[in-house]
Amino acid sequence: MSKPVTVRTFLNMKQAGQKIAMVTAYDYPTAKLLEESGVHALLVGDSLGMVVQGMHTTLPVTLEDILYHTSIVSRAVTRPLVVADMPFLTNQVSVEETLKNAGRLMSVGGAHAVKMEGGAEVAESVYRLVQAGIPVMAHVGLTPQSVHALGGFSVQGRKKPEVEKMLDDVTSLEQAGAFSVVLEMVPAEVAEAVTARLTIPTIGIGAGAGCDGQVLVFHDMMGFTSGYIPKHNKRYANLADTIVQAARSYVEEVQSGAFPGPDQTVYLKPDEHAELQPLLKGEPL
Ligand code: KIV
């Protein structure tokens, strides 16, 4: 088995020009299968709210939710880097609170790193976490926790002031000690310029092929959702159809009596049958 992926592996991969593949995971069996596939990192993302909990945004996701799912995912795997997302308002109130919340994701949840949305305004928190031994993955571009402030889930970085701010933000985050940065829904040319400027790897989602790695939301990439699918997603499977077909067959077989068949049924052994014969025939006790 190959060695566990660490934040150092991320940096080495960027230096060697090897691309990093990250996928979201929220549960034990999925995390195990993703580990088997060779992904480098698992993100327990607050996308949980939208793809698992049925919310319209990521805002209602709590620290307890991410803690619960991170502890499940981190129990399942030994090789990928497990990154826990910091939900809305768990890293915005104060540096002290951010440190406490991130610390719980590491010590109770078993995460290897945390991910934090925000630019230069969170650099101080990033610095304090890194000083405390908590690796931080930054997240700029479309930051879904700010969906209402941004006016929707739209591409970020089309205009000069936005791009200048993004370049300033990633520079501050790198200087604060972030080990990587997610670029979400950023034009490919801008993502490439950010990637060239940084020594830490960029992980893109809807940010083109020029990033040092990519991340996709498990339910979107596996076609395991009936909800909105972002344009940048690529479907690698169609689990929704597979599940509906399988469940339909089950319903049909239950109704026709084909399920359970002999292979799914427990029968009495001959001696048990002989002993129970009178009862089975309905004779009095
Ligand atoms: O919550 C999440 O899954 C994310 C990724 C889309 C980067 O933040």
Side-chain angles (χ1 to χ4, degrees), residues 22-26 43-49 51 58 66 85 115 117 137 139 142 144-145 182-184 203-205 215-218 220 232:
M22 179 159 88
V23 178
T24 67
Y26 319 96
L43 171 64
V44 187
D46 62 1
S47 50
L48 169 80
V51 297
T58 59
I66 295 290
D85 223 350
K115 178 171 81 60
E117 292 185 13
M137 176 178 278
H139 183 162
L142 170 64
Q145 290 169 19
V182 169
L183 303 180
E184 180 163 357
I203 309 294
I205 174 160
V215 55
L216 280 178
V217 171
F218 176 82
D220 294 344
H232 57 255

Side-chain angles (χ1 to χ4, degrees), residues 137-153:
M137 176 178 278
H139 183 162
V140 302
L142 170 64
T143 45
Q145 290 169 19
S146 306
V147 60
H148 297 302
L150 295 172
F153 294 102

Side-chain angles (χ1 to χ4, degrees), residues 7 10 25 34 88 110 130 140 149-150 190 206 216 242 271:
V7 295
F10 264 49
L34 289 172
F88 182 54
V130 172
V140 302
L150 295 172
V190 175
L216 280 178
T242 306
D271 56 330

